[in-house]
């Protein structure tokens, strides 16, 4: 999602010592857990976790389902998470009262709150997308499932994303 130069720029601004830290992104950083895990899984498959044939199928799925959010770029996702948690724990200066992600571009709006042990800051994400462009039926159906209580999407925790398996390169 972010190349090294872009990450260095963002990381340099993720510091404590302010009342509130606001991070804006055109794409949501946090998704409902089911969607997050699906995109993370797809990234691994498209990169060859299931071999060359699996990678080709994974890439077709990625393009067909438009799987392009932060969860599909695990290296960037985890690097930003580490920086935000460090700010929230007061490791980069006094912890702000709140750290908020602001984004859109997913055809619905929601608020997510993240909990992480030892953080002093309230960490949230605010997603506000226009509702004038309705999703296709298959995406509306997928969103209903992903945001249901049974999918565990009512709360979020950094630990849930730590459970994602590490990426492997090449076939296998």
């Amino acid at each position: 999602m972010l190349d090294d130069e872009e990450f260095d720029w963002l990381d340099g601004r993720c510091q404590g010592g302010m009342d509130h830290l606001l991070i804006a992104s055109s794409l949501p950083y946090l998704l409902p857990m089911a969607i997050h895990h699906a995109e993370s899984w797809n990234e691994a498959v498209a990169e060859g976790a299931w071999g060359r044939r699996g990678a080709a199928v994974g890439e077709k799925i990625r393009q067909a389902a438009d799987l392009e959010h932060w969860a599909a770029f695990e290296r960037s996702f985890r690097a930003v998470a580490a920086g935000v948690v460090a700010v929230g724990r007061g490791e980069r200066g006094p912890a702000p009262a709140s750290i908020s992600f602001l984004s859109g571009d997913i055809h619905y709006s929601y608020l997510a709150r993240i909990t992480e042990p030892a953080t002093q800051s309230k960490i949230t994400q605010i997603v506000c997308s226009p509702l004038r462009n309705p999703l296709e039926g298959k995406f509306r159906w997928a969103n209903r499932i992903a945001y249901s209580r049974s999918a565990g999407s009512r709360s979020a925790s950094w630990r849930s994303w730590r459970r994602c398996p590490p990426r492997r390169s090449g076939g296998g």
Side-chain angles (χ1 to χ4, degrees):
M1 180 69 67
L2 298 176
D3 64 27
D4 291 339
E5 185 177 322
E6 293 168 328
F7 175 77
D8 289 343
W9 180 88
L10 176 62
D11 196 54
R13 280 148 185 83
C14 285
Q15 301 297 321
M18 60 195 69
D19 292 337
H20 305 280
L21 176 61
L22 176 66
I23 303 167
S25 174
S26 59
L27 296 171
Y29 181 72
L30 301 168
L31 295 168
M33 284 188 193
I35 296 173
H36 177 96
H37 291 305
E39 290 202 17
S40 183
W41 168 83
N42 177 260
E43 177 194 21
V45 172
E47 288 183 351
W50 288 2
R52 225 181 288 188
R53 285 186 186 160
V57 171
E59 185 57 34
K60 285 182 183 181
I61 292 170
R62 178 190 296 258
Q63 290 178 21
D66 199 22
L67 303 178
E68 62 178 24
H69 300 95
W70 281 88
F73 299 89
E74 182 158 346
R75 188 176 137 252
S76 285
F77 180 86
R78 288 179 187 258
V80 170
V84 168
V85 167
V87 172
R89 288 183 175 160
E91 297 170 7
R92 294 182 175 191
S98 68
I99 301 172
S100 300
F101 289 89
L102 176 64
S103 64
D105 192 41
I106 59 169
H107 304 277
Y108 66 100
S109 302
Y110 63 94
L111 176 66
R113 180 145 187 240
I114 292 72
T115 58
E116 175 68 11
T119 55
Q120 301 164 36
S121 304
K122 290 182 180 175
I123 305 173
T124 58
Q125 175 175 268
I126 305 153
V127 177
C128 186
S129 291
L131 299 176
R132 61 185 172 91
N133 300 324
L135 289 172
E136 293 178 36
K138 64 183 176 183
F139 292 118
R140 276 195 315 267
W141 177 81
N143 274 341
R144 274 189 227 126
I145 291 171
Y147 203 64
S148 69
R149 285 188 187 274
S150 61
S153 297
R154 297 289 181 202
S155 63
S157 166
W158 295 110
R159 285 177 298 211
S160 69
W161 290 293
R162 282 194 213 130
R163 280 182 256 176
C164 296
R167 302 291 181 227
R168 292 188 298 170
S169 298

